Amino acid sequence: MNTLIKPETSNWLNKVPEVTLSFWIIKIMSTTVGETGADFLAVNAGWGHGITRTVMATLFAAALLVQLRTERHTPWIYWLTVVLVSVVGTQITDLLTDGLGVSLYVSTSVFAVLLALIFAVWYAVERSLSIHDIFTRKRELFYWAAILCTFALGTAAGDLATEALGLGFVWGAIGFGAAIAASYLVWRVGGNAVLTFWIGYILTRPFGAALGDMLTQAKSIGGLGMGAMWTSALFLTVIVLLVAVAQLGSNDKSTLVTR
């Protein structure tokens, strides 16, 4: 007889935010900042790729540790971790592609298989891939492993489409944006909510990267010429404002609960 596996007992509330329009805006902007921020620090700020990777990996590990120690969704640390995992996921793929010469066809395939394995093990253990049920340490570790892999996969797939296959960043942004819209429409007409969420989540990475390239690249090659520094600063400002609003809302809810 099949029986559902009960999650371990926990006093945690759900550790991830509700999926709203604000969620997707911050997510896409975080992926763009991951692309432009890493480039700015490594190239424009003169840190070099080695130092940038070390610093970003250290900051990500510290932010993830704080996130894991919280007992409820805390917007500022959750989104800080997402921004940093975006940078680290991008750097993993860039290291494989530019540093070790691994083909984008190979890295895209490997990350796709790895993500499928994470989802398979996660579902086998927890019988759920829903982000509405992240209230145990085990589920949260599965969640962040999947998130890191989606960013690495999204970077590799995006570079494969826009560079190796010659789609370009403008048509890349249009193409991935259309695919995100299609997954949303499938969900609206009754498609599986968990499946369409994760497909949309993966696609926002190459969409954000293509959008970042379109904004930062020179006008002579079809970009808007904003540069990595101004694009990163603009998007970070919007992210900070939206997260501040979410944090204030979260504090108000916590106050009501404790009364």
Side-chain angles (χ1 to χ4, degrees), residues 109-123 129 149 153:
S109 301
V110 169
F111 284 132
V113 171
L114 181 59
L115 182 60
L117 287 174
I118 292 172
F119 280 144
V121 175
W122 181 358
Y123 188 80
L129 299 179
C149 198
L153 170 61

Side-chain angles (χ1 to χ4, degrees), residues 7 99 127 131 173 177 219 239 253:
R127 291 290 190 268
I131 69 164
K219 294 180 180 179
I239 290 172
K253 289 180 181 177

Side-chain angles (χ1 to χ4, degrees), residues 46-239:
W47 286 18
H49 291 289
I51 294 176
T52 302
R53 288 174 188 136
T54 302
V55 170
M56 290 298 109
T58 302
L59 291 176
F60 167 62
L64 181 59
L65 182 62
V66 176
Q67 163 66 24
L68 291 173
R69 290 175 63 85
T70 61
E71 294 186 349
R72 66 177 67 229
H73 170 57
T74 307
W76 76 266
I77 186 59
Y78 173 85
W79 285 113
L80 176 61
T81 308
V82 171
V83 170
L84 291 170
V85 78
S86 171
V87 176
V88 172
T90 301
Q91 290 175 326
I92 291 173
T93 299
D94 289 346
L95 175 63
L96 291 173
T97 305
D98 302 327
L100 303 178
V102 176
S103 164
L104 287 169
Y105 292 96
V106 173
S107 58
T108 300
S109 301
V110 169
F111 284 132
V113 171
L114 181 59
L115 182 60
L117 287 174
I118 292 172
F119 280 144
V121 175
W122 181 358
Y123 188 80
V125 173
E126 298 291 332
R127 291 290 190 268
S128 173
L129 299 179
S130 172
I131 69 164
H132 299 302
D133 301 321
I134 309 298
F135 48 69
T136 67
R137 175 63 52 78
K138 188 185 298 179
R139 288 189 179 185
E140 190 173 14
L141 289 174
F142 280 125
Y143 174 78
W144 285 109
I147 293 298
L148 177 59
C149 198
T150 63
F151 276 103
L153 170 61
T155 301
D159 289 347
L160 177 65
T162 59
E163 297 176 14
L165 298 179
L167 193 60
F169 46 79
V170 175
W171 282 108
I174 294 173
F176 287 116
I180 292 170
S183 67
Y184 171 75
L185 291 174
V186 170
W187 171 70
R188 291 292 296 177
V189 298
N192 184 280
V194 174
L195 178 61
T196 52
F197 167 81
W198 282 112
I199 291 175
Y201 198 95
I202 294 169
L203 290 171
T204 55
R205 177 61 189 87
F207 172 74
L211 179 64
D213 286 338
M214 185 171 68
L215 294 173
T216 58
Q217 295 298 319
K219 294 180 180 179
S220 59
I221 56 175
L224 298 180
M226 291 177 59
M229 184 182 73
W230 289 111
T231 301
S232 300
L234 174 63
F235 278 38
L236 274 175
T237 301
V238 176
I239 290 172

